[in-house]
Amino acid sequence: GELAQPPADVPGLTIAPSPPERPDLCLALGGDGTILRALRNYAESGVPVFGINYGTVGFLASAEASDLDRGLERAFGGEYEVIELPGLEAELADGRKIAVNDVSFTRNAHERVAELAYSVSGQEVGRVRCDGLVAATPVGSTGYNLANHGPILAWGVEGFVVSFIAPHTLTARALVVAPGDVLHVANVGDRNRVEVGVDGTKAGQLGPGEEVHVRFR
């Protein structure tokens, strides 16, 4: 939907047509989805993101909406510690996508189960009929990956975890991948496309015989 726009006549407030490339600080007011979008927008730029939670969970927020005044004082006064978060880089057909939480590969609703294969360092590790596959950062390991019974990675761990969604086998296991290894995810099915998601938002599709590379950043 359309974003609500503040009034244009507020003293000291200038509405920019698009976010600046290198602000001193990005202030994100919203839920985790909004904060994730801000983190992706300023990934690799060195711009700190200060989130104020107006959502349900607020896992990535630095302050709560109920403490807005104090949160703004801290943000504009520099009273915060910058924590660098690792991400994942997915090479899709329309370009590079950065994920803070996870990159997911899921079958389309009402279609046949997907058949996915993934390899690490050129060696195939798994080939499974399933509903999908998730590659998650340490921060994202408590989300979609945890629902797949994947291991939780502590913040600061170098590497990421790969887990299957509803695998049609009892032998599929989650795998922790070293930071220098490239993950290759292939759609080895012969009919249906697979949806590719970045932090829970649609980012593209993986057709039969196509492959995506995912790297730790």
Side-chain angles (χ1 to χ4, degrees):
E2 295 183 359
L3 296 177
Q5 294 294 325
D9 58 351
V10 176
L13 178 65
T14 301
I15 301 175
S18 61
E21 291 185 7
R22 291 297 301 271
D24 296 328
L25 174 73
C26 172
L27 187 65
L29 285 76
D32 284 330
T34 299
I35 299 172
L36 281 169
R37 186 168 57 188
L39 288 167
R40 289 196 304 271
N41 188 76
Y42 290 110
E44 301 177 332
S45 70
V47 175
V49 173
F50 191 102
I52 297 181
N53 181 34
Y54 278 84
T56 303
V57 180
F59 183 65
L60 296 170
S62 303
E64 293 295 322
S66 58
D67 196 22
L68 176 62
D69 290 345
R70 177 57 184 151
L72 292 176
E73 289 178 3
R74 287 172 50 205
F76 295 131
E79 296 181 32
Y80 52 80
E81 179 183 355
V82 177
I83 300 175
E84 292 189 0
L85 299 178
L88 295 175
E89 175 185 295
E91 297 178 8
L92 303 181
D94 61 345
R96 186 182 70 133
K97 304 291 184 181
I98 297 293
V100 177
N101 268 0
D102 50 44
V103 178
S104 60
F105 302 83
T106 55
R107 72 178 179 94
N108 292 300
H110 310 300
E111 291 187 353
R112 297 172 59 191
V113 296
E115 187 172 358
L116 299 176
Y118 76 92
S119 60
V120 176
S121 298
Q123 293 188 339
E124 187 172 295
V125 179
R127 179 183 291 243
V128 178
R129 287 171 54 82
C130 57
D131 282 357
L133 177 149
V134 175
T137 66
V139 172
S141 67
T142 56
Y144 211 164
N145 165 72
L146 181 59
N148 301 334
H149 304 288
I152 296 175
L153 304 183
W155 286 33
V157 168
E158 293 286 319
F160 59 103
V161 62
V162 181
S163 56
F164 284 106
I165 305 168
H168 289 212
T169 174
L170 297 177
T171 59
R173 293 290 183 267
L175 176 72
V176 177
V177 181
D181 289 335
V182 179
L183 172 70
H184 301 252
V185 180
N187 180 1
V188 293
D190 59 2
R191 185 178 302 178
N192 296 324
R193 291 179 175 271
V194 174
E195 291 284 349
V196 182
V198 171
D199 291 339
T201 62
K202 290 183 178 180
Q205 291 190 326
L206 190 65
E210 295 180 346
E211 183 175 279
V212 167
H213 301 169
V214 179
R215 293 179 171 84
F216 183 80
R217 300 293 293 178

